[in-house]
Amino acid sequence: MHAHTQQALQPLHLWAQAIRKQLSLPWSTLPMHPAGRTMLASMELIERCTNNYEKPEFELVSTEIDGQPVLVREEVTLAKPFCDLIHFRRFGHFNHPKVLLVAPMSGHYSTLLRGTVEHFLPDHEVYITDWINARDVPLSEGGFSFDDYVSYVIEFIKYLGPDVNVIAVCQPSVPVLVACGWLAMSQSSYQPLTLTLMGGPVDTRISPTEVNDYASNKDVEWFENKVICTVPEMYAGAGQRVYPGFIQLSGFMMMNPDLHVQKHFKFFNDLIQGDGDSAEAHRKFYNEYLAVMDLPADFYLETLHKVFIEHQMPRKLIDYRGERIDLSAIKKTALMTIEGELDDITGQGQTKAAQELCSGLSADKKLHYIQKDVGHYGIFNGRRFRSEVGPRIKQFIQTHSHPTN
C-alpha cells in the first residue's frame, strides 16, 4: 500500500519539480519578488513532501592530513548479502590506527555517520559497515538474524586484524559486545584493541525512554502481526519479510511531531525570505533523515526479544549460536562507553551498564564519559562531537594503541 501510494504521488512530485526548475532558470525574474519566491517555495515544499528519498551518498572525496589535502576513495573491501564493508581509502602512506565503525541497522543508512567518518579520516584508517536495504536483497540469499549480525561483525573484525579499534553507534552496541565476548571466550588472536560504545541499549531497564517503553510493553507476537510486511514484487527482495523503514520513520517523527511541522514552516519562510544557508541546512538534514531502509524481520524481532523485552544482556542470558556469552572473559579489549546527557532514545546509564558486565577488565582499561547538553544524535555528530566527544575517543584509542597480553 505504501509502495503504491509512493508511485501514485510521482506525477505530482515531477510536476512540482518541473515547475520549480522552470521558474528558477537564470533569466527568470520571479525570485526577485516576494510573490515569486512564495510560489517557488510552495513548489519545493510539494516536491519534497512527495519525494521518495533514496540512500544518500557519503560524498567524502578528500580530507586534510598535516595541513595537506589528501584524496579519499570509497571502496567496498568485503561484500556480504546484507552488508558491505566500506574502506575510505586515503591516497598516501600513513601509519594511523585502524577504526571499524559499526553503523546502526535501525532504519537509517550508514551515511547517518558521515560526520563521524569525516572526523576520523585525518588521523585514522576508517572502515564502516554499510547495511543493505533488506527490500533489495533477493529471497534466495535467505534471511538475516541477530546471530547473523554478530557473525558479520566477527568476520569484519577478523578481516581487519587484531590491531582494529571498534566503535559501535547506538543499536549495534549489544551485538558488538556479544562478538567481542565470543572472541575473548575463544581466546582469539583477533580481539580488538579497543571497543567504544556510543548511546547503546545495553540495559534498557535503566532510565527507560519512550522508545524503550514502546518496545517492552508489547510481546514479539504483537510486533510480528502488526508491523512485519512482505516486500512486494516491484523490488529485488520480493518475498523477504521485513520491518519497513517507513514505519520506523513514522515512529521517530511521532515522538516530536510539532517540531517537524515547525521546521518545515521555517524552511518555507526561509525560502521566501531568501535565507539560502538555513534552507540548505534543512535540505541536508531531511535528505538524510527521510531516507530509510527496511530491516530483516528475523533480526528486528530477535533484537526486540533479546534487548528490549527479555533484557538478556544485563541478565547474562544472551547467547550466540547456542553458546552463552560471558562478557567477563573480555580482558584485552579496552572499553569506553559514551552517553548524552539529554538522550531521549537511549537513557542515561543504559550504555554504562557494559562497564559492570565486562568485569574482567582492569580499571585502567575502562572509561565512561557523559557529554553535557547533547541528545542522541549529538554524541556522534555535530559541533559537540567534533570538539569534545571525538577527541576523547581518539585519545582513548591512542592510549590503548598497542596490544597487551
Side-chain angles (χ1 to χ4, degrees):
M1 194 171 155
H2 176 78
H4 286 303
T5 301
Q6 289 291 93
Q7 282 189 328
L9 288 172
Q10 279 305 291
L12 177 60
H13 169 76
L14 295 172
W15 171 79
Q17 184 183 72
I19 291 180
R20 178 185 62 80
K21 288 183 176 180
Q22 188 68 29
L23 298 179
S24 302
L25 291 171
W27 51 81
S28 174
T29 59
L30 274 176
M32 301 178 186
H33 308 285
R37 290 197 296 271
T38 300
M39 183 180 295
L40 280 167
S42 300
M43 291 301 103
E44 181 164 355
L45 200 59
I46 293 172
E47 179 187 350
R48 294 187 64 79
C49 288
T50 56
N51 192 20
N52 184 19
Y53 292 87
E54 297 295 338
K55 179 185 176 182
E57 299 294 330
F58 277 102
E59 297 179 340
L60 297 173
V61 296
S62 67
T63 188
E64 187 175 294
I65 301 177
D66 297 328
Q68 298 297 320
V70 174
L71 291 177
V72 175
R73 184 167 68 190
E74 189 179 320
E75 298 179 343
V76 176
T77 61
L78 195 58
K80 306 284 290 181
F82 286 87
C83 185
D84 290 332
L85 181 63
I86 292 180
H87 177 209
F88 293 90
R89 181 187 165 204
R90 304 166 302 166
F91 284 77
H93 299 284
F94 309 101
N95 185 25
H96 289 156
K98 196 181 301 179
V99 165
L100 169 61
L101 276 169
V102 184
M105 183 191 267
S106 56
H108 285 101
Y109 290 96
S110 60
T111 50
L112 193 69
L113 304 187
R114 182 186 294 105
T116 321
V117 173
E118 186 176 23
H119 180 74
F120 281 96
L121 271 178
D123 39 26
H124 291 78
E125 202 69 47
V126 183
Y127 296 78
I128 192 169
T129 56
D130 189 31
W131 301 103
I132 295 170
N133 194 335
R135 76 178 189 194
D136 299 324
V137 180
L139 189 60
S140 59
E141 295 290 353
F144 186 81
S145 66
F146 182 90
D147 281 351
D148 291 327
Y149 193 115
V150 176
S151 294
Y152 273 34
V153 173
I154 291 172
E155 184 173 351
F156 294 155
I157 289 174
K158 288 184 174 181
Y159 178 82
L160 295 176
D163 58 342
V164 69
N165 299 275
V166 180
I167 301 175
V169 180
C170 188
Q171 169 270 317
S173 293
V174 172
V176 169
L177 263 177
V178 171
C180 290
W182 184 85
L183 287 168
M185 290 169 60
S186 306
Q187 298 184 351
S188 171
S189 59
Y190 290 96
Q191 297 177 56
L193 294 178
T194 68
L195 171 60
T196 301
L197 307 179
M198 307 179 71
V202 177
D203 188 351
T204 57
R205 300 173 301 179
I206 302 171
S207 305
T209 63
E210 185 178 341
V211 174
N212 303 147
D213 291 338
Y214 176 76
S216 61
N217 287 339
K218 301 173 178 64
D219 56 28
V220 173
E221 287 72 22
W222 185 93
F223 287 99
E224 185 163 15
N225 293 330
K226 299 294 185 183
V227 302
I228 298 302
C229 301
T230 302
V231 177
E233 291 296 329
M234 63 188 73
Y235 299 106
Q240 286 276 16
R241 293 175 67 248
V242 300
Y243 172 56
F246 68 84
I247 294 181
Q248 179 80 320
L249 178 63
S250 65
F252 281 141
M253 297 193 77
M254 288 309 295
M255 289 178 63
N256 296 290
D258 293 341
L259 177 64
H260 292 290
V261 172
Q262 291 169 11
K263 283 186 175 182
H264 279 75
F265 272 119
K266 182 180 182 302
F267 173 65
F268 184 76
N269 290 326
D270 288 338
L271 289 172
I272 295 173
Q273 295 167 11
D275 187 349
D277 290 342
S278 296
E280 185 58 24
H282 176 96
R283 291 188 193 100
K284 286 183 177 180
F285 175 79
Y286 278 99
N287 284 350
E288 194 77 55
Y289 190 75
L290 298 175
V292 290
M293 58 181 283
D294 299 344
L295 309 184
D298 290 343
F299 166 77
Y300 173 74
L301 295 172
E302 289 174 14
T303 298
L304 281 174
H305 177 72
K306 292 174 180 286
V307 178
F308 295 97
I309 297 175
E310 291 291 328
H311 312 289
Q312 291 183 5
M313 176 66 80
R315 294 172 61 208
K316 302 180 181 180
L317 299 175
I318 201 160
D319 59 36
Y320 167 63
R321 306 290 186 198
E323 183 178 3
R324 185 64 53 83
I325 298 300
D326 180 10
L327 295 182
S328 67
I330 300 176
K331 294 180 171 64
K332 294 183 178 181
T333 303
L335 174 67
M336 181 179 189
T337 50
I338 299 172
E339 298 177 336
E341 182 185 30
L342 309 178
D343 196 333
D344 60 352
I345 303 289
T346 305
Q348 203 172 123
Q350 293 186 13
T351 312
K352 185 181 179 181
Q355 299 280 350
E356 183 177 344
L357 292 170
C358 297
S359 56
L361 284 171
S362 57
D364 63 322
K365 284 183 172 288
K366 292 182 179 182
L367 179 64
H368 180 65
Y369 176 70
I370 298 175
Q371 177 56 53
K372 302 292 185 182
D373 303 320
V374 302
H376 190 71
Y377 189 75
I379 59 176
F380 60 87
N381 228 326
R383 178 178 58 85
R384 289 292 182 86
F385 168 76
R386 292 190 297 270
S387 64
E388 300 182 50
V389 179
R392 283 179 167 85
I393 299 175
K394 291 181 180 181
Q395 181 57 54
F396 184 74
I397 290 174
Q398 184 62 37
T399 300
H400 302 279
S401 59
H402 301 291
T404 56
N405 294 323

